[in-house]
């Protein structure tokens, strides 16, 4: 059993993270909840004014479905049942926000971008403008249709995460996520592997 005093001392020794690192770390932490055995993704939507989370999601099955009875790998047809992390985060938004950032561990697909643009609680002050002003992702995976849709919204700044590694959360994720046959948190992503190596994440 973990010693609560030791845990508290460890937390007290940590430096306060930069905001982007904190939210990206939170997205990774959410991804641990996914039953998907191949692509654990997480997403969080943060209000840029209040700095509070207003929506969270991870790659998973619709609410109320019995997870253990549905396929968790691509070969068994998982994509017919799963909902993407970004879409789940958008669907869970609980307050109107005209200035938000979507943080996601994987670059969103066209379906998730469309859901974000259609979410009534995430509309800007002007008609047709998105309330999400920044989209920050960890791993790049180009989706042409998503890029076309986003090109119609110049108010959205799209960034690949380049800040300091959210080290403590990444270490926790690396410990629990069955992702590491080649030694990196995301073996297919050299940027993630570079972060884990640079920060001594085992």
């Amino acid at each position: 059993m973990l010693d609560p005093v030791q845990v508290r001392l460890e937390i007290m020794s940590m430096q306060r993270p930069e905001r982007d690192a904190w939210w990206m770390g939170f997205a990774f932490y959410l991804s641990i909840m996914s039953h998907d055995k191949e692509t654990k993704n997480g997403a969080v939507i943060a209000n840029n004014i209040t700095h509070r989370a207003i929506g969270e999601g991870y790659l998973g099955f619709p609410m109320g479905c019995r997870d253990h009875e549905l396929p968790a790998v691509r070969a068994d047809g998982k994509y017919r049942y799963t909902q993407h992390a970004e879409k789940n985060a958008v669907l869970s938004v609980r307050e109107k926000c005209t200035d938000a950032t979507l943080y996601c561990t994987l670059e969103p697909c066209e379906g998730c971008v469309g859901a974000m643009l259609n979410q009534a609680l995430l509309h800007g002050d002007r008609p047709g403008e998105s309330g999400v002003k920044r989209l920050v992702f960890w791993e790049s995976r180009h989706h042409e249709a998503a890029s076309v849709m986003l090109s119609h919204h110049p108010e959205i700044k799209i960034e690949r995460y380049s800040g300091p590694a959210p080290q403590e959360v990444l270490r926790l994720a690396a410990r629990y996520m069955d992702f590491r046959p080649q030694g990196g948190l995301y073996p297919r992503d050299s940027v993630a592997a570079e972060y884990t190596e640079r920060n001594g994440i085992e």
Side-chain angles (χ1 to χ4, degrees):
M1 179 179 293
L2 291 175
D3 179 356
V5 175
Q6 185 61 39
V7 172
R8 175 60 59 187
L9 288 173
E10 185 177 349
I11 291 173
M12 294 295 289
S13 70
M14 295 178 185
Q15 289 187 338
R16 182 186 174 97
E18 295 186 11
R19 214 174 290 279
D20 276 358
W22 162 253
W23 289 122
M24 187 59 74
F26 189 25
F28 269 105
Y29 191 76
L30 288 166
S31 74
I32 299 171
M33 290 296 294
S34 176
H35 286 274
D36 192 305
K37 295 181 179 179
E38 297 170 325
T39 317
K40 290 180 181 289
N41 294 320
V44 60
I45 300 172
N47 186 318
N48 293 330
I49 300 171
T50 64
H51 304 299
R52 294 189 300 111
I54 59 172
E56 306 93 19
Y58 55 85
L59 180 65
F61 303 116
M63 190 178 298
C65 291
R66 293 185 288 276
D67 297 341
H68 63 283
E69 296 181 9
L70 295 175
V73 295
R74 183 176 304 164
D76 294 335
K78 68 175 182 179
Y79 288 124
R80 291 182 295 166
Y81 304 96
T82 53
Q83 298 294 311
H84 287 183
E86 303 87 349
K87 186 175 181 179
N88 283 330
V90 165
L91 291 172
S92 75
V93 169
R94 46 193 172 271
E95 63 183 54
K96 179 171 174 57
C97 182
T98 59
D99 187 359
T101 298
L102 169 60
Y103 295 89
C104 35
T105 58
L106 188 65
E107 188 173 5
C109 70
E110 53 272 13
C112 294
V113 169
M116 178 189 77
L117 296 175
N118 284 338
Q119 167 58 279
L121 292 175
L122 291 176
H123 283 183
D125 293 322
R126 292 182 293 181
E129 187 178 80
S130 171
V132 173
K133 295 299 190 289
R134 288 178 72 216
L135 195 164
V136 183
F137 60 89
W138 177 279
E139 181 186 354
S140 178
R141 181 174 293 181
H142 180 69
H143 297 279
E144 184 176 355
S147 298
V148 170
M149 284 189 279
L150 288 169
S151 72
H152 291 225
H153 288 268
E155 73 275 12
I156 303 176
K157 185 179 180 182
I158 306 162
E159 306 171 33
R160 184 166 184 177
Y161 179 79
S162 60
Q167 186 171 342
E168 297 306 320
V169 178
L170 280 174
R171 181 179 290 112
L172 181 66
R175 188 183 304 162
Y176 286 104
M177 291 162 65
D178 184 21
F179 249 20
R180 312 176 62 238
Q182 299 174 30
L185 185 63
Y186 283 91
R188 61 186 180 277
D189 189 339
S190 60
V191 172
E194 180 183 341
Y195 275 144
T196 56
E197 182 178 353
R198 183 189 307 159
N199 290 275
I201 300 169
E202 298 178 352

